[in-house]
Amino acid sequence: PAVPVPAKATGTPWMTWAAKEVGFHEIGENQGLGKYTALAKTGEDGDPWCAIFVNAGLETSGVRGTRSAMARSFEHDPNFVKLDGPAFGAITTLWRGSPGSGLGHVFFYLGENDRGILALGGNQSDQVCRQYEPRNRVVGYFWPKSVPLPRTGKIIVENNGHQEGTET
């Protein structure tokens, strides 16, 4: 069953922060990321930055991130727990190439519909944006252990014109 979107549509401090970052565009290839690398306590200009962005959102909110620029670092970090399903603001990891490659993408879960999962993240089409990601590549949904666990379940969102994009 679908879970209603939180009334404030923020739910967590990191989602409030991330929503304000929508529209940031990298310069060149993964350049101009200094504010995110400083906040995330990891990475540098030129790195793929989806995990840097997620870590920056967490750290800005007083939650220790993985402090790794690897997208799938949340899957194995002892400070995070795997949820039994999606939740608003959950850290969502995808595999890239093949499920066992260790490569991937990470973003915050907003909801889903027949187009896929609506992701709020960085390094999506070279920017911070909301875009659809494929449901069939989800590895899992993760949550910081230091924050009370959320209610889990699919959140159905309207098809609001967001596009599919690239994970770079």
Side-chain angles (χ1 to χ4, degrees):
V3 173
V5 176
K8 293 168 105 180
T10 56
T12 63
W14 58 85
M15 293 301 286
T16 302
W17 175 86
K20 291 177 185 173
E21 296 298 312
V22 169
F24 170 85
H25 286 261
E26 66 185 46
I27 302 164
E29 287 193 33
N30 300 348
Q31 301 293 309
L33 310 174
K35 71 177 183 175
Y36 297 138
T37 58
L39 292 170
K41 299 178 173 76
T42 189
E44 57 189 48
D45 269 8
D47 286 345
W49 55 283
C50 60
I52 294 169
F53 179 78
V54 169
N55 275 297
L58 293 168
E59 296 273 352
T60 298
S61 303
V63 176
R64 190 184 198 289
T66 64
R67 298 190 178 168
S68 169
M70 299 292 293
R72 295 182 60 189
S73 61
F74 296 91
E75 296 171 19
H76 309 289
D77 189 287
N79 296 312
F80 293 84
V81 62
K82 186 174 184 179
L83 299 174
D84 61 3
F88 187 80
I91 299 149
T92 307
T93 60
L94 302 180
W95 57 266
R96 183 187 322 231
S98 70
S101 71
L103 302 175
H105 182 56
V106 63
F107 54 84
F108 298 120
Y109 177 93
L110 292 172
E112 57 192 280
N113 59 35
D114 61 347
R115 295 187 65 194
I117 295 176
L118 188 56
L120 172 55
N123 205 24
Q124 298 185 158
S125 300
D126 300 327
Q127 62 186 312
V128 175
C129 68
R130 296 172 185 93
Q131 71 181 27
Y132 288 104
E133 296 290 349
R135 189 178 287 106
N136 65 346
R137 289 185 25 230
V138 170
V139 175
Y141 305 94
F142 299 87
W143 199 259
K145 285 183 178 177
S146 64
V147 177
L149 291 176
R151 184 171 158 204
T152 60
K154 289 181 183 178
I155 298 171
I156 305 302
V157 294
E158 290 183 24
N159 187 350
N160 49 16
H162 296 296
Q163 302 298 311
E164 289 83 9
T166 63
E167 299 162 15
T168 59

